[in-house]
Amino acid sequence: MSIESKRGEGAAEELGGTIKKVAGKVLGNEQMEAEGRAKEAAGEAKQEAAKAAGRTEGKIEEVVGAVKNRIGQVIDNEQMAAEGKVKEIKGEAKQKANE
């Protein structure tokens, strides 16, 4: 399962929990309200876990790209250096997308 789908799953669970929490509050049902809060928190946790995984993947991609870029520069291989720079930038973007 992709990071984006895990984030989406967490967001859906959080929303479902919010709805259940509000419904429980409106109906005066404390158990329903508490279950909603728990579901809401579980959804938030799933989203945060997915974001952390995305940041980690991005950092790895950034480092691998930086290494490839530097090696390309050292051996005077412009294509390798350019590919490394692109990968490095993609990794940085992935990290920012998962803040």
Side-chain angles (χ1 to χ4, degrees):
M1 183 179 278
S2 74
I3 291 171
E4 291 78 20
S5 63
K6 288 179 183 179
R7 283 179 71 176
E9 183 182 299
E13 188 170 346
E14 180 182 359
L15 178 60
T18 300
I19 291 168
K20 189 170 187 175
K21 176 182 77 174
V22 171
K25 191 170 189 168
V26 168
L27 297 172
N29 185 330
E30 291 178 9
Q31 181 177 348
M32 180 186 278
E33 188 178 347
E35 289 170 358
R37 270 195 214 105
K39 191 172 183 178
E40 191 176 36
E44 289 174 3
K46 280 185 183 178
Q47 289 180 77
E48 289 305 314
K51 286 179 185 179
R55 287 189 301 270
T56 300
E57 284 182 11
K59 188 61 178 176
I60 290 168
E61 192 169 356
E62 177 189 0
V63 169
V64 168
V67 169
K68 187 174 183 177
N69 179 11
R70 299 320 179 271
I71 291 171
Q73 291 175 1
V74 168
I75 64 172
D76 202 29
N77 183 328
E78 290 180 19
Q79 182 177 347
M80 180 185 239
E83 289 171 357
K85 187 63 178 175
V86 168
K87 190 171 189 92
E88 187 177 358
I89 291 168
K90 280 178 61 180
E92 290 170 355
K94 188 177 244 182
Q95 290 175 74
K96 287 184 181 183
N98 286 289
E99 289 181 340

